[in-house]
Amino acid sequence: MAAADPPLPLRATVTRAQQRAFADRGHVPLAGLWDRALAEAVAAEARRRHAVAEVPRDGPRTPVPARRAPRRATPTASGPLLARLHLALVGAARALTGRLLVPTFAAYGYYEGDDEVFLHVDTEQCDLTLLTVAFGEVGPLHVHPGLIGSTMERLGELEGDPGWDRTGGIRVTYPDTGVTALDGHVLPHHRPGRPRPGLHAVAALCYRSLF
């Protein structure tokens, strides 16, 4: 029988201030959850798994006009270390939200040449989304509290409108050795997109509430 993997060296304590900030804003950084060694291991796995990354068949699809079609789809892949991290952060996810959350899926999303993300909300499998840069560099997410309750069709109309200010919204960055927690199924968000030479990866870890 193979030995079980040792626990990951996490410092996943959630403060009351972080709980209040998440409840008020729908997003909060959780910095310093792991050390540089674990960050480097995640980066190494993400680089290796790029070779088997595929464009997912499921996931949010913002309906945009043909002229606004993405330059390329975002391929994704998972890995055993990411799966362990996903499970190890369940306690922090529950403490942050006060909800009985369970892991649904976790994946590395790969960006090559630019870091654009269309305006959208996450799927119903993501009552909480934890985001971190696995390797490389991407710009901040822009979150839009004023668009809460909008349908995907409405978000697609805005994304396809040349007059919509793509620099608007509240900018949300990711900690180096932690995550940004996002109420992604409720809070619309996008990344305007900038040229980013080379390959970059963001890890997304999603959790669903049992009730």
Side-chain angles (χ1 to χ4, degrees):
M1 180 180 297
D5 290 321
L8 293 177
L10 299 184
R11 299 183 291 274
T13 301
V14 175
T15 67
R16 289 189 177 182
Q18 289 169 328
Q19 291 170 333
R20 289 193 297 267
F22 183 78
D24 291 343
R25 303 196 299 259
H27 60 88
V28 68
L30 303 178
L33 298 185
W34 52 78
D35 59 19
R36 291 306 311 171
L38 182 55
E40 290 168 3
V42 168
E45 177 178 83
R47 290 184 185 279
R48 289 195 305 272
R49 298 297 293 170
H50 180 243
V52 297
E54 297 180 342
V55 176
R57 286 176 286 186
D58 300 321
R61 293 285 187 272
T62 306
V64 295
R67 67 177 183 278
R68 248 329 252 131
R71 287 183 288 276
R72 63 179 61 84
T74 302
T76 66
S78 191
L81 179 57
L82 187 63
R84 290 176 62 201
L85 184 61
H86 194 197
L87 186 60
L89 289 172
V90 168
R94 292 176 176 177
L96 181 66
T97 62
R99 304 174 71 182
L100 186 57
L101 297 175
V102 295
T104 49
F105 68 89
Y108 302 110
Y110 296 94
Y111 301 89
E112 189 168 6
D114 68 67
D115 60 0
E116 183 177 60
V117 174
F118 280 3
L119 182 65
H120 72 285
V121 291
D122 296 338
T123 73
E124 60 187 9
Q125 297 299 306
C126 297
D127 288 322
L128 176 71
T129 306
L130 303 182
L131 298 164
T132 189
V133 177
F135 68 81
E137 181 181 358
V138 299
L141 277 183
H142 293 222
V143 301
H144 300 270
L147 295 177
I148 289 175
S150 299
T151 64
M152 287 291 280
E153 288 73 22
R154 173 56 180 156
L155 299 180
E157 289 174 2
L158 288 171
E159 185 65 58
D161 181 357
W164 182 59
D165 181 9
R166 294 184 56 75
T167 66
I170 300 168
R171 298 185 180 192
V172 176
T173 58
Y174 308 140
D176 288 339
T177 54
V179 298
T180 284
L182 180 69
D183 191 0
H185 184 50
V186 171
L187 186 58
H189 50 283
H190 86 290
R191 188 179 297 119
R194 296 183 59 185
R196 299 279 179 183
L199 183 66
H200 314 266
V202 172
L205 305 96
C206 283
Y207 302 82
R208 178 178 58 84
S209 179
L210 289 180
F211 52 83

